[in-house]
Amino acid sequence: MNDKAVEVVWKALDRLAIELPSWGFANTGTRFGKFIQPAAATSIQEKFSDAAQVHAVTGACPTLALHVQWDLPNGLKDVPEVERLAKQFSIRPGSINPNIFQNQEYKYGSVGNPDPAIRRMAIRHILDCVAISEALGAPDISPWFADGSNYPGTQNIRKRIGYFEEGLREIHAALKPGQRLLLEYKPFEPAFYHTDIADWGMALLLAKAAGPQALVLVDTGHHYQAQNIEQIVAWLLHQNMMGGFHFNDRRYADDDLTLGSIDPYQIFRIFHEIRMFEWETQTTADIAYMVDQSHNLKGKIEAMIQTVCTAQELYARAALVDHGSLARLQQECSLVDAEETLRGAFWQDVRPAIQEWRKSRRLPADPMQAFRTSGYLERITRERSEKNRNTTASYA
Ligand code: LRH
Ligand code: MN
């Protein structure tokens, strides 16, 4: 790789920040149960501590996404503790995730529920999250709505759209300058007939109806099999509605597997759409790159290190695309040369350049090996196994 290319890779890595999900360090499972890991995090302190380990060896994840009901169960009252932990572990609070899907009251939905009292309860919670976001200086609030129905005829889909427009308008009105409302869509699960915010178009229309600080969040696992995700990203960039990503990988549905473990070229194509947009517009897109994964079998910290390193590799490759040549070849419809200009970058082995970047930034050349020899996993296993022994593993 020539010096120019190495410089491009280093510049790209200096820019790329990947936000980690607090819940990715906790014992999670599927509906068939959980396999308890003795070293898993249960407290917000442990989640900050584990995230700090990943940041220490990769240098790329300075923020931690927080799920309010799990990480700030007492709402605003937990802000001072989170601020203390953020200082202690030098990891800033990231996106604030409301939880409007877990409570029993949300059986028939939250903001989309036919019962105005339940809608009020859900909006109240999200407004609390807006206040927490402001108090923590963490501008993004990213609600995901599980709302929907399981059988045809059981809910009025159009009425529920109205409830969302009303609720999201009220929430948007509470946003302070600089705060962003990132609407996450998902086609199904837990609802299996209709989901109120099921795809990018529904999320985009609701965000536009709510107001200028509302944008769309793309969870890569929230698409039907044949959907062209990078085309959705292109549309959202074109509409200036691209707010953020929840990165993961999948073979079938919302599998929440490790980024790039099934289809690394998918993530590369997404990064390419963004880098090409930035080259054409000579702007830096204000996009939150976040991970949303559930590590049911792999060691949770190792899986996160794998994830961040893979994201860095794929982002570096996308940065190597010769945008000038590609634009010309696309204009000329030189199909093979255009495709080879893109694929050529994907096949570049950027790992040696990344290793040099790590050394130059006083980071370990091999993040996984550095973590494995740190003794951290052995220590937290000793400290946490007793507590995790009593965690319920069964689904029912
Ligand atoms: C829903 C989702 C959402 C989170 C949850 C943990 O599938 O992607 O982003 O709140 O996972
Ligand atoms: Mn998600």
Side-chain angles (χ1 to χ4, degrees), residues 23 67 101 144 184 186 219 222 246 254 292:
W23 55 95
H67 227 294
F101 51 83
W144 163 66
E184 183 176 3
K186 184 176 183 178
D219 185 313
H222 293 183
H246 277 180
D254 189 20
D292 180 5

mmCIF file of all heavy atoms in Angstrom, residues 23 67 101 144 184 186 219 222 246 254 292, ligand 1:
data_model
loop_
_atom_site.group_PDB
_atom_site.id
_atom_site.type_symbol
_atom_site.label_atom_id
_atom_site.label_comp_id
_atom_site.label_asym_id
_atom_site.label_seq_id
_atom_site.Cartn_x
_atom_site.Cartn_y
_atom_site.Cartn_z
ATOM 1 N N TRP A 23 -26.027 -2.780 26.858
ATOM 2 C CA TRP A 23 -26.696 -4.079 26.977
ATOM 3 C C TRP A 23 -25.911 -5.195 26.278
ATOM 4 O O TRP A 23 -26.165 -6.371 26.518
ATOM 5 C CB TRP A 23 -28.139 -3.997 26.438
ATOM 6 C CG TRP A 23 -28.274 -3.490 25.036
ATOM 7 C CD1 TRP A 23 -28.353 -4.232 23.911
ATOM 8 C CD2 TRP A 23 -28.371 -2.133 24.604
ATOM 9 N NE1 TRP A 23 -28.484 -3.438 22.797
ATOM 10 C CE2 TRP A 23 -28.482 -2.136 23.196
ATOM 11 C CE3 TRP A 23 -28.366 -0.904 25.252
ATOM 12 C CZ2 TRP A 23 -28.598 -0.958 22.432
ATOM 13 C CZ3 TRP A 23 -28.466 0.273 24.517
ATOM 14 C CH2 TRP A 23 -28.594 0.235 23.124
ATOM 15 N N HIS A 67 -29.447 2.318 28.001
ATOM 16 C CA HIS A 67 -30.851 1.948 27.891
ATOM 17 C C HIS A 67 -31.489 2.309 29.226
ATOM 18 O O HIS A 67 -31.174 1.702 30.252
ATOM 19 C CB HIS A 67 -30.984 0.452 27.579
ATOM 20 C CG HIS A 67 -31.942 0.182 26.476
ATOM 21 N ND1 HIS A 67 -33.278 0.438 26.587
ATOM 22 C CD2 HIS A 67 -31.749 -0.290 25.216
ATOM 23 C CE1 HIS A 67 -33.887 0.119 25.449
ATOM 24 N NE2 HIS A 67 -32.983 -0.327 24.596
ATOM 25 N N PHE A 101 -41.123 -0.888 25.550
ATOM 26 C CA PHE A 101 -41.526 -2.203 25.038
ATOM 27 C C PHE A 101 -41.580 -3.265 26.126
ATOM 28 O O PHE A 101 -42.201 -4.303 25.924
ATOM 29 C CB PHE A 101 -40.585 -2.673 23.921
ATOM 30 C CG PHE A 101 -39.118 -2.615 24.232
ATOM 31 C CD1 PHE A 101 -38.469 -3.620 24.934
ATOM 32 C CD2 PHE A 101 -38.354 -1.517 23.820
ATOM 33 C CE1 PHE A 101 -37.111 -3.557 25.209
ATOM 34 C CE2 PHE A 101 -36.992 -1.438 24.080
ATOM 35 C CZ PHE A 101 -36.366 -2.476 24.777
ATOM 36 N N TRP A 144 -36.882 2.960 20.029
ATOM 37 C CA TRP A 144 -37.390 1.904 19.154
ATOM 38 C C TRP A 144 -38.737 1.462 19.702
ATOM 39 O O TRP A 144 -38.861 1.218 20.904
ATOM 40 C CB TRP A 144 -36.441 0.699 19.131
ATOM 41 C CG TRP A 144 -37.118 -0.502 18.585
ATOM 42 C CD1 TRP A 144 -37.569 -0.675 17.304
ATOM 43 C CD2 TRP A 144 -37.510 -1.687 19.278
ATOM 44 N NE1 TRP A 144 -38.195 -1.879 17.165
ATOM 45 C CE2 TRP A 144 -38.151 -2.524 18.369
ATOM 46 C CE3 TRP A 144 -37.350 -2.115 20.593
ATOM 47 C CZ2 TRP A 144 -38.665 -3.769 18.717
ATOM 48 C CZ3 TRP A 144 -37.857 -3.360 20.962
ATOM 49 C CH2 TRP A 144 -38.521 -4.171 20.025
ATOM 50 N N GLU A 184 -35.985 4.550 15.103
ATOM 51 C CA GLU A 184 -35.520 3.250 14.633
ATOM 52 C C GLU A 184 -36.707 2.446 14.121
ATOM 53 O O GLU A 184 -37.717 2.333 14.811
ATOM 54 C CB GLU A 184 -34.831 2.480 15.778
ATOM 55 C CG GLU A 184 -34.251 1.142 15.379
ATOM 56 C CD GLU A 184 -33.495 0.472 16.524
ATOM 57 O OE1 GLU A 184 -33.481 1.050 17.639
ATOM 58 O OE2 GLU A 184 -32.936 -0.613 16.305
ATOM 59 N N LYS A 186 -38.359 -1.259 12.387
ATOM 60 C CA LYS A 186 -38.133 -2.701 12.411
ATOM 61 C C LYS A 186 -39.343 -3.386 11.794
ATOM 62 O O LYS A 186 -40.464 -3.090 12.188
ATOM 63 C CB LYS A 186 -37.913 -3.190 13.860
ATOM 64 C CG LYS A 186 -37.572 -4.662 13.991
ATOM 65 C CD LYS A 186 -37.280 -5.047 15.430
ATOM 66 C CE LYS A 186 -36.872 -6.502 15.537
ATOM 67 N NZ LYS A 186 -36.531 -6.906 16.931
ATOM 68 N N ASP A 219 -31.061 0.158 11.802
ATOM 69 C CA ASP A 219 -30.481 -1.036 12.431
ATOM 70 C C ASP A 219 -30.334 -2.054 11.313
ATOM 71 O O ASP A 219 -31.326 -2.457 10.701
ATOM 72 C CB ASP A 219 -31.398 -1.553 13.542
ATOM 73 C CG ASP A 219 -30.808 -2.725 14.321
ATOM 74 O OD1 ASP A 219 -30.291 -3.665 13.656
ATOM 75 O OD2 ASP A 219 -30.853 -2.714 15.562
ATOM 76 N N HIS A 222 -32.701 -4.947 10.826
ATOM 77 C CA HIS A 222 -34.147 -4.666 10.727
ATOM 78 C C HIS A 222 -34.611 -4.518 9.289
ATOM 79 O O HIS A 222 -35.214 -3.494 8.914
ATOM 80 C CB HIS A 222 -34.483 -3.405 11.532
ATOM 81 C CG HIS A 222 -34.305 -3.579 13.018
ATOM 82 N ND1 HIS A 222 -34.604 -2.590 13.913
ATOM 83 C CD2 HIS A 222 -33.813 -4.603 13.739
ATOM 84 C CE1 HIS A 222 -34.356 -3.015 15.142
ATOM 85 N NE2 HIS A 222 -33.865 -4.243 15.065
ATOM 86 N N HIS A 246 -27.441 1.200 13.948
ATOM 87 C CA HIS A 246 -27.203 0.108 14.888
ATOM 88 C C HIS A 246 -26.615 -1.006 14.044
ATOM 89 O O HIS A 246 -27.320 -1.621 13.247
ATOM 90 C CB HIS A 246 -28.517 -0.347 15.545
ATOM 91 C CG HIS A 246 -28.931 0.470 16.714
ATOM 92 N ND1 HIS A 246 -30.083 0.210 17.421
ATOM 93 C CD2 HIS A 246 -28.357 1.543 17.321
ATOM 94 C CE1 HIS A 246 -30.194 1.079 18.425
ATOM 95 N NE2 HIS A 246 -29.167 1.893 18.375
ATOM 96 N N ASP A 254 -33.556 -10.602 12.746
ATOM 97 C CA ASP A 254 -32.821 -9.685 13.618
ATOM 98 C C ASP A 254 -31.916 -10.496 14.537
ATOM 99 O O ASP A 254 -32.071 -10.523 15.757
ATOM 100 C CB ASP A 254 -33.805 -8.832 14.433
ATOM 101 C CG ASP A 254 -33.078 -7.716 15.182
ATOM 102 O OD1 ASP A 254 -31.939 -7.388 14.780
ATOM 103 O OD2 ASP A 254 -33.630 -7.221 16.170
ATOM 104 N N ASP A 292 -25.340 -2.557 17.940
ATOM 105 C CA ASP A 292 -26.464 -3.111 18.705
ATOM 106 C C ASP A 292 -26.450 -4.612 18.476
ATOM 107 O O ASP A 292 -26.926 -5.094 17.448
ATOM 108 C CB ASP A 292 -27.797 -2.504 18.244
ATOM 109 C CG ASP A 292 -28.978 -3.067 19.035
ATOM 110 O OD1 ASP A 292 -28.728 -3.843 19.978
ATOM 111 O OD2 ASP A 292 -30.130 -2.757 18.685
HETATM 112 C C1 LRH B 1 -34.777 -3.815 18.809
HETATM 113 C C2 LRH B 1 -33.431 -3.188 19.075
HETATM 114 C C3 LRH B 1 -33.489 -1.809 19.664
HETATM 115 C C4 LRH B 1 -33.031 -1.963 21.078
HETATM 116 C C5 LRH B 1 -33.044 -3.369 21.326
HETATM 117 C C6 LRH B 1 -32.085 -3.813 22.367
HETATM 118 O O1 LRH B 1 -34.631 -5.014 18.102
HETATM 119 O O2 LRH B 1 -32.678 -3.231 17.919
HETATM 120 O O3 LRH B 1 -32.528 -0.982 19.120
HETATM 121 O O4 LRH B 1 -33.565 -1.120 21.952
HETATM 122 O O5 LRH B 1 -32.803 -3.980 20.072
#
